Amino acid sequence: MTEILVVDDSKVMREMIVACLRVEEDFAFTHAASGLEAIEKLALKPFDLVVLDLNMPDIGGFEVIEFIRGQDQLQSLPILVVTTRGDEGSRARALGAGASQFMTKPFAPDAILANVRSMLRRDAAGSDE
């Protein structure tokens, strides 16, 4: 089972992301409504991928990325940022902090699924090395 943590303060957006990815029968989803909740869930169980919004009320997505990359056991965890921030500064900052991919909302369901599949394949290939 592939464990995916979906982090967004919008319940509707979390459900939309899950609906796009649910076509993969071996994906299991955990939701987090804030950056702080995401960090708590990351401490409790391992995940194979994180889908992360940048705009959240307590701890923002940039800080969550920095937290993940600062933890030895999470350094290779793939992070897909899905955000309304379409500016190059946000993209550069997220990728510079350690995000694996960056997408803007609204997104095409096939595009998010393709990104997740690609990131998981790369992660699996990297762990075989």
Side-chain angles (χ1 to χ4, degrees):
M1 190 63 68
T2 300
E3 297 285 342
I4 298 175
L5 177 60
V6 180
V7 187
D8 196 305
D9 60 331
S10 166
K11 181 180 179 186
V12 171
M13 186 54 63
R14 289 193 311 271
E15 290 174 349
M16 187 179 302
I17 290 168
V18 169
C20 294
L21 301 176
R22 194 172 296 282
V23 296
E24 292 286 346
E25 293 180 4
D26 70 330
F27 286 180
F29 302 95
T30 299
H31 295 233
S34 71
L36 181 59
E37 185 179 356
I39 289 171
E40 290 170 351
K41 293 192 184 261
L42 286 162
L44 294 176
K45 75 181 227 185
F47 290 94
D48 299 297
L49 186 137
V50 175
V51 179
L52 177 67
D53 186 18
L54 293 179
N55 300 319
M56 289 183 283
D58 53 10
I59 297 175
F62 294 119
E63 290 77 16
V64 174
I65 295 168
E66 290 166 358
F67 170 81
I68 290 171
R69 294 303 177 231
Q71 306 300 308
D72 289 342
Q73 71 277 16
L74 299 175
Q75 285 186 349
S76 63
L77 180 65
I79 304 169
L80 172 60
V81 170
V82 180
T83 181
T84 55
R85 293 186 183 189
D87 62 284
E88 274 307 309
S90 294
R91 174 185 297 271
R93 182 176 173 197
L95 295 173
S100 309
Q101 292 279 337
F102 189 98
M103 296 182 68
T104 55
K105 299 174 187 173
F107 53 83
D110 291 344
I112 192 168
L113 181 60
N115 269 332
V116 165
R117 285 176 173 158
S118 172
M119 293 169 65
L120 291 171
R121 275 194 305 269
R122 271 185 276 159
D123 186 51
S127 64
D128 291 343
E129 294 175 4

